[in-house]
Amino acid sequence: MPLVKNGAIVADDFVAIADDAELPAGGAVLISAARFLADAEALATRNAPLGVIWPNNRDVAELAPWLDRLSLIALVFPTFRDGRAHSQARRLREIDGFRGELRATGQILRDQFTFLLRNGFDAFAVAKESDAHAFSEATHRYTEFYQPTGDGHLSALQRRRKRHTAAAT
């Protein structure tokens, strides 16, 4: 499955580990929410990057105590019609201040790419190579937005106010 991160198609450094498999001593691993929550304290102290696959029917507030120790949170879109992971992403970025990789997984459609970026996702596991290329192009297509979000881009109104304030001084 191709991975797009920061607008480029990249190799995935994280290895998905099954719940019944032994964790390797080193290397970046991606584990299920159930496995993480069963032994979060011990897992969070690993001396290697740790990621968790978080389902969209769980409250991301459960991750709050460990956000500074997680390198990756993969949020799941079980169907393209289920947008709960959008809300989870915004909460993680804007309220909880998560700065690690936020990856969208599951059924992601091309027309959702810009919204995913705006909601705080910075990596996408897409189903097809052609989707990866389309997403890579979409990351640079729009530069100005009307809605404010926590992705670091100023809204069109904020840009206008900034230009007006600069011109007035």
Side-chain angles (χ1 to χ4, degrees):
M1 189 173 293
L3 179 67
V4 178
K5 185 173 180 182
N6 298 321
I9 301 169
V10 299
D12 191 354
D13 294 334
F14 284 82
V15 175
I17 305 294
D19 285 347
D20 58 350
E22 188 173 330
L23 286 179
V29 297
L30 184 60
I31 61 174
S32 72
R35 184 170 187 171
F36 178 74
L37 291 173
D39 196 16
E41 282 298 326
L43 289 167
T45 60
R46 273 185 93 240
N47 198 16
L50 176 65
V52 63
I53 302 167
W54 201 257
N56 70 352
N57 61 355
R58 290 197 78 120
D59 188 353
V60 291
E62 294 178 71
L63 288 173
W66 300 284
L67 288 179
D68 61 336
R69 290 175 265 173
L70 289 171
S71 300
L72 161 67
I73 299 173
L75 298 177
V76 181
F77 288 86
T79 71
F80 69 90
R81 295 178 303 237
D82 189 339
R84 291 178 283 180
H86 284 285
S87 300
Q88 289 176 316
R90 287 200 63 174
R91 174 179 175 131
L92 285 166
R93 290 289 193 215
E94 297 174 26
I95 297 171
D96 298 329
F98 180 65
R99 295 291 162 236
E101 179 179 322
L102 198 53
R103 184 181 296 183
T105 64
Q107 288 192 8
I108 306 165
L109 301 180
R110 290 181 183 198
D111 59 349
Q112 297 172 324
F113 288 160
T114 301
F115 297 113
L116 292 164
L117 281 170
R118 296 287 292 154
N119 289 327
F121 289 98
D122 57 358
F124 308 85
V126 295
K128 299 181 281 189
E129 193 74 30
S130 60
D131 285 342
H133 290 290
F135 174 76
S136 182
E137 293 170 13
T139 59
H140 307 291
R141 185 172 298 142
Y142 302 103
T143 59
E144 206 162 312
F145 302 95
Y146 287 107
Q147 302 84 6
T149 63
D151 68 353
H153 288 93
L154 295 176
S155 69
L157 177 62
Q158 290 167 324
R159 284 178 181 238
R160 279 195 300 270
R161 285 183 176 161
K162 189 174 182 179
R163 283 192 298 261
H164 180 71
T165 303
T169 57

